[in-house]
Amino acid sequence: MSAAESTSTAEVAPERETLTWELFGTASRELAQMVADDGYRADIVLAIARGGLFVAGALGYALDVKNLHVANVEFYTGVDERLPVPIMLPPVPNKLDLSGAKVLVADDVADTGATLKLVRDFCEGEVADVRCAVVYEKPHSTVRCEYVWRRTDRWINFPWSTRPPVVRRAGQVLDA
């Protein structure tokens, strides 16, 4: 391969941020400490599935919140490929379960912000207070999260989505 070919290949391949399981442990603990230091005492941690499940579980343990809920949202269809708008999939959280609560929405990344906005808007007017905690926030996100471990403009390799699945399913979305 010539130097010119090597350069053009490097320009095409996007730089990636890599989060290992060990670093995720550090990140989630530091994220929880930010929430605690801010004095926010959530009644509920609301995970945005799938990546937010890991974050919500870690935050739930670190912040001693046992009341965890899940919002299943579909948006990504591949690496940097998305549906036109995010869609909340069933089962949709019961707003009565959230009523009057202080809710901490947890996700792995605020990329465009569209998913977080959907979930935050779903909670608005139903809960006492809603705040967002993410491991990563991209500079172009339309939602500014209250708690962010790291900011990056790179695509992120998460430890839970970098290896191929054990089972292959038709229409399966990889790396998203």
Side-chain angles (χ1 to χ4, degrees), residues 18-136:
T18 298
L19 184 70
T20 63
W21 282 113
E22 183 177 356
L23 190 54
F24 171 69
T26 300
S28 59
R29 192 69 183 191
E30 289 177 3
L31 190 59
Q33 192 64 58
M34 287 177 209
V35 176
D37 289 350
D38 192 36
Y40 191 64
R41 301 296 182 254
D43 302 307
I44 295 170
V45 177
L46 178 58
I48 299 179
R50 291 183 303 185
L53 290 168
F54 302 97
V55 180
L59 290 175
Y61 273 101
L63 297 172
D64 197 27
V65 177
K66 289 187 176 187
N67 199 351
L68 303 179
H69 290 251
V70 177
N72 293 294
V73 180
E74 184 174 32
F75 191 36
Y76 281 89
T77 57
V79 176
D80 211 21
E81 296 174 8
R82 302 168 192 86
L83 296 172
V85 294
I87 301 166
M88 197 171 294
L89 302 172
V92 175
N94 186 333
K95 288 187 178 186
L96 286 175
D97 293 340
L98 305 176
S99 181
K102 292 171 75 175
V103 177
L104 183 63
V105 177
D107 206 357
D108 51 359
V109 61
D111 190 342
T112 66
T115 299
L116 281 163
K117 182 176 181 343
L118 175 71
V119 174
R120 182 180 263 176
D121 288 353
F122 176 82
C123 291
E124 288 291 336
E126 303 292 331
V127 304
D129 189 23
V130 60
R131 299 187 187 180
C132 296
V134 295
V135 178
Y136 289 99

